[in-house]
Amino acid sequence: MEKRHAVRSFTDGRIEGEIKDALDKEVAACNSEGGLRIQLVTDEPEAFGGFMSRHSDFSNVRNYIALVGADNTESREKLGYYGERLVILAQRLGLNSCWVALTFSKRKSKVEVGPGEALVCAIALGYGTTQGESHPIKRPDEVSKCGTGVPEWFAKGVECALLAPTALMKQNFMFEYRDRKVYATSKGICASVNLGIVKYHFEVGAGKDNVVWG
């Protein structure tokens, strides 16, 4: 999580063999657990080939993870959670990535979207021409509220959540610990997706078994 940064320019390296197999396996697991229809698309340049992508400095994007699920708030949060789980796996496999909400063509993407479903966003994927750059983050006290008797794992969860990617890097989320439960909220653009992303990071830092969501 500390090494992963947004990357928008990629080499011609193909995602294949054991790396593709590992991604396919994890996509299937995420879909099964979350009731989603996330899809890995490889060797497909059309979705990121338009003006908006080029204007946003995307270059040579030929692989992406399409985040598809039911068209509702609960599903969007799940797509954020499981999408980030896939992002971290991709980083461990030596790939780079970037979350994308608007600057790609949903119409040109090679994705199956059924009735009542939505292609909410995508994750550009591949071997980056760079490893990206870190950006300033908020302090833990700016994104958390807690009283007395807060366990150490809560603080670790907040620290890990601060490493999560969020829309426009705003970090518009808040964690609160009370009555032995963790409450999380997010606001602004892509709020539900962002909430899922930061919840995944929080669980990794805190230890999933410690967290009871309120």
Side-chain angles (χ1 to χ4, degrees):
M1 288 181 174
E2 292 179 345
K3 293 181 179 179
R4 187 267 166 194
H5 307 297
V7 171
R8 299 186 176 196
S9 178
F10 300 90
T11 71
D12 291 328
R14 295 169 64 91
I15 298 177
E16 56 188 0
E18 292 182 357
I19 291 178
K20 184 176 184 301
D21 290 344
L23 287 170
D24 282 333
K25 182 178 180 180
E26 188 70 350
V27 166
C30 289
N31 284 336
S32 177
E33 291 177 27
L36 304 169
R37 278 231 294 159
I38 299 171
Q39 298 160 51
L40 172 64
V41 181
T42 58
D43 296 321
E44 195 290 285
E46 296 299 320
F48 285 82
F51 171 78
M52 285 296 292
S53 293
R54 294 194 299 271
H55 183 69
S56 300
D57 297 325
F58 283 100
S59 176
N60 203 30
V61 181
R62 304 181 64 87
N63 312 287
Y64 52 93
I65 296 171
L67 299 176
V68 178
D71 191 8
N72 58 51
T73 299
E74 180 183 0
S75 181
R76 281 171 166 76
E77 182 179 323
K78 287 182 178 180
L79 288 170
Y81 182 95
Y82 288 104
E84 186 63 7
R85 180 167 133 178
L86 290 164
V87 162
I88 299 306
L89 171 63
Q91 185 73 29
R92 292 203 305 267
L93 294 171
L95 299 170
N96 302 99
S97 60
C98 183
W99 279 85
V100 191
L102 299 175
T103 51
F104 75 105
S105 174
K106 295 182 179 181
R107 180 177 59 84
K108 292 182 178 179
S109 65
K110 301 300 186 286
V111 179
E112 295 181 4
V113 181
E117 294 180 336
L119 169 54
V120 174
C121 49
I123 300 165
L125 201 64
Y127 296 95
T129 57
T130 72
Q131 292 300 307
E133 298 179 354
S134 59
H135 297 278
I137 62 175
K138 294 181 178 180
R139 301 187 311 272
D141 63 286
E142 294 181 286
V143 297
S144 63
K145 298 178 182 178
C146 50
T148 58
V150 178
E152 183 179 351
W153 58 258
F154 179 82
K156 291 181 178 179
V158 171
E159 290 176 4
C160 205
L162 285 167
L163 299 175
T166 56
L168 305 177
M169 297 178 289
K170 293 290 188 179
Q171 296 190 307
N172 287 329
F173 58 85
M174 181 65 63
F175 287 93
E176 183 175 1
Y177 181 77
R178 66 177 190 273
D179 301 326
R180 298 183 180 180
K181 293 183 179 180
V182 179
Y183 296 83
T185 56
S186 179
K187 61 182 181 180
I189 186 172
C190 299
S192 297
V193 174
N194 288 338
L195 184 60
I197 294 172
V198 298
K199 277 187 170 183
Y200 176 76
H201 273 245
F202 185 92
E203 285 186 353
V204 171
K208 188 173 182 178
D209 290 343
N210 289 322
V211 182
V212 177
W213 295 108

